[in-house]
């Protein structure tokens, strides 16, 4: 379901009509989730029959081999809709720091996450999940000063700490900023996104970071292996000296695997 549909349901004036519309949408989503699980299970079985090992499949999907086994069970279609089981393999509790506001030295490094994790003695890993255009959800659109559903360039990455999935981060760019540039090309932008934006003539003015705690979406819960848990969403919108929002970074953090140190503004003497 896209942000536009959610907005339309929320705007229904009659409260009972709004409740009915919400219930109908939830039932549709449940049915889609079951069908997608079945499709995913069939794809995994097909890959295995073609000779791929479970370790290879897990590596391609960015999950553990145990999680691949769970995916096969989830779409078995035996008619019983059971609650998701926990991870097949016990997971260590990992707490990754996500400082707010982001220190400038960290923002200017090769990777915000890799720098943070290495400073904390963790073994980090990252993988690009998606690069391309997609409709902007409501809060990203507001940050980039666009209409909800307007096309934006998305660069979505997945992060692990000590082989535990901890974070999904997506960089969003307006088309008038990033289309037909390095920002919409495959792979990581080197040396940094900051450097690429500066090469394109954008100068940084200021940024705002907004933290929101909420239940994980089915997509987020599946990637992060956190069924039934919450996430913390951090949205950082960076604005140029020309007053153009040039970068919206949405970071979805597994809530039980993160801590968020909050720093006071430098130079302030108020307690």
């Amino acid at each position: 379901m896209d942000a536009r549909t959610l907005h339309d349901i929320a705007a229904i004036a009659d409260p009972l009509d709004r409740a009915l519309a919400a219930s109908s949408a939830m039932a549709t989503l449940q049915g889609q989730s079951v069908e997608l699980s079945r499709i995913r299970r069939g794809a995994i079985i097909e890959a295995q029959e073609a000779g791929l090992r479970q370790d290879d499949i897990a590596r391609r999907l960015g999950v553990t081999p145990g999680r691949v086994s769970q995916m096969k069970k989830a779409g078995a279609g035996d008619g019983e809709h059971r609650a998701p089981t926990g991870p097949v393999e016990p997971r260590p509790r990992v707490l990754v720091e996500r400082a707010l506001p982001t220190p400038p030295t960290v923002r200017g490094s090769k990777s915000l996450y890799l720098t943070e994790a290495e400073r904390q003695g963790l073994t980090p890993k990252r993988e690009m999940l998606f690069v391309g255009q997609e409709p902007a959800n409501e809060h990203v659109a507001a940050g980039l000063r666009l209409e909800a559903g307007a096309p934006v360039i998305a660069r979505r990455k997945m992060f692990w700490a000590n082989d535990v999935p901890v974070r999904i981060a997506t960089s969003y760019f307006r088309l008038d900023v990033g289309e037909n540039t390095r920002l919409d090309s495959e792979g990581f932008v080197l040396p940094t996104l900051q450097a690429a934006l500066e090469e394109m003539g954008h100068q940084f003015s200021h940024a705002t970071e907004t933290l929101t705690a909420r239940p994980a979406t089915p997509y987020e819960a599946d990637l992060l292996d956190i069924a039934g848990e919450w996430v913390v969403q951090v949205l950082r919108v960076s604005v140029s000296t020309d007053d153009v929002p040039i970068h919206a970074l949405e970071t979805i953090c597994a809530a039980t695997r993160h801590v968020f140190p909050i720093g006071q503004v430098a130079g302030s003497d108020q307690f």
Side-chain angles (χ1 to χ4, degrees):
M1 179 184 298
D2 59 25
R4 176 68 68 183
T5 303
L6 288 173
H7 182 272
D8 290 344
I9 293 174
I12 295 175
D14 185 278
L16 293 183
D17 286 345
R18 189 162 65 247
L20 284 171
S23 295
S24 177
M26 291 168 67
T28 299
L29 285 174
Q30 177 63 33
Q32 291 174 344
S33 177
V34 171
E35 179 62 14
L36 287 170
S37 292
R38 186 192 65 78
I39 293 171
R40 182 176 62 186
R41 176 178 183 270
I44 291 172
I45 292 173
E46 182 179 337
Q48 289 180 324
E49 290 176 346
L52 283 178
R53 296 180 307 167
Q54 187 154 305
D55 286 352
D56 297 326
I57 295 172
R59 192 176 304 109
R60 282 283 300 277
L61 298 182
V63 298
T64 65
R67 181 61 179 146
V68 173
S69 296
Q70 283 186 298
M71 290 176 178
K72 287 175 64 179
K73 294 176 183 177
D78 58 4
E80 298 181 17
H81 297 288
R82 296 182 293 271
T85 59
V88 173
E89 302 167 354
R91 288 197 179 279
R93 186 166 184 258
V94 174
L95 287 178
V96 184
E97 289 187 4
R98 172 62 168 90
L100 295 169
T102 308
T105 54
V106 174
R107 283 236 53 87
S109 63
K110 177 181 177 180
S111 165
L112 182 153
Y113 173 73
L114 295 181
T115 300
E116 286 182 323
E118 288 170 355
R119 286 181 178 180
Q120 296 162 48
L122 301 170
T123 302
K125 183 176 71 172
R126 65 175 181 171
E127 180 181 322
M128 187 68 72
L129 298 179
F130 173 79
V131 178
Q133 293 188 20
E134 64 183 32
N137 61 41
E138 195 162 350
H139 58 275
V140 168
L144 293 177
R145 302 177 196 165
L146 300 169
E147 291 290 328
V152 291
I153 296 167
R155 303 183 59 85
R156 184 164 297 111
K157 300 176 289 292
M158 181 79 182
F159 300 92
W160 292 260
N162 298 349
D163 291 325
V164 177
V166 293
R167 192 179 300 181
I168 307 165
T170 308
S171 289
Y172 294 98
F173 304 94
R174 297 161 51 119
L175 296 189
D176 58 359
V177 170
E179 193 170 25
N180 298 320
T181 71
R182 294 172 60 196
L183 302 180
D184 65 358
S185 60
E186 295 291 334
F188 293 97
V189 177
L190 302 175
T192 64
L193 281 175
Q194 175 92 10
L197 287 165
E198 290 176 352
E199 288 174 5
M200 294 162 59
H202 301 290
Q203 296 298 316
F204 175 75
S205 170
H206 66 278
T208 58
E209 290 185 287
T210 305
L211 185 150
T212 305
R214 58 170 175 78
T217 67
Y219 173 79
E220 294 161 353
D222 187 55
L223 277 183
L224 294 171
D225 198 6
I226 52 169
E229 296 185 26
W230 280 45
V231 295
V232 174
Q233 169 190 292
V234 181
L235 181 67
R236 177 185 172 89
V237 178
S238 298
V239 180
S240 73
T241 52
D242 295 326
D243 195 33
V244 175
I246 55 175
H247 182 203
L249 175 63
E250 178 192 66
T251 307
I252 306 300
C253 305
T256 57
R257 300 171 190 166
H258 280 78
V259 291
F260 299 88
I262 309 295
Q264 188 170 343
V265 177
S268 175
D269 60 357
Q270 300 297 312
F271 290 99

